[in-house]
Amino acid sequence: RSCNLTEAHVVALRLYTTAAFQSINAPLRDLERFANKVPHPLPVTVALIRDALGKLRAVEARTSKSSSDAEQALELYRGMKNVKATKRF
């Protein structure tokens, strides 16, 4: 609530957590589309996600216990398709 996210922000973020992320990411990575100045097919969704992330980051920066918290390393893990961990892992 302290982020002042609108319902549209939340819907855009929730949409991004589904398989729809491919429809959002692929055009952003399409260099040919960019070179030809073709607009993103979901420009409002991308703008809402960008704005929401900015608001969330701002709240995190304000609420961090100290400035060193913001600089502390954090390990994040990402799922990868068709990749298996070795038994040693």
Side-chain angles (χ1 to χ4, degrees):
R1 296 185 187 262
S2 62
C3 298
N4 294 319
L5 295 179
T6 65
E7 185 175 349
H9 286 120
V10 174
V11 169
L13 290 170
R14 295 285 304 268
L15 179 67
Y16 189 72
T17 66
T18 69
F21 81 92
Q22 295 169 331
S23 299
I24 297 167
N25 281 5
L28 292 172
R29 294 177 177 163
D30 185 351
L31 298 178
E32 186 175 329
R33 180 194 65 80
F34 183 75
N36 293 327
K37 300 185 182 194
V38 175
H40 193 286
L42 301 168
V44 175
T45 303
V46 173
L48 286 166
I49 291 169
R50 182 181 174 276
D51 190 44
L53 291 175
K55 289 180 177 204
L56 291 167
R57 287 181 185 133
V59 168
E60 176 61 25
R62 283 195 311 266
T63 59
S64 290
K65 295 175 186 151
S66 69
S67 61
S68 64
D69 286 347
E71 298 171 5
Q72 185 174 353
L74 176 65
E75 288 188 31
L76 300 174
Y77 297 90
R78 178 178 173 181
M80 298 176 72
K81 188 176 184 178
N82 299 324
V83 175
K84 295 187 185 235
T86 65
K87 288 182 181 182
R88 186 172 168 218
F89 179 76

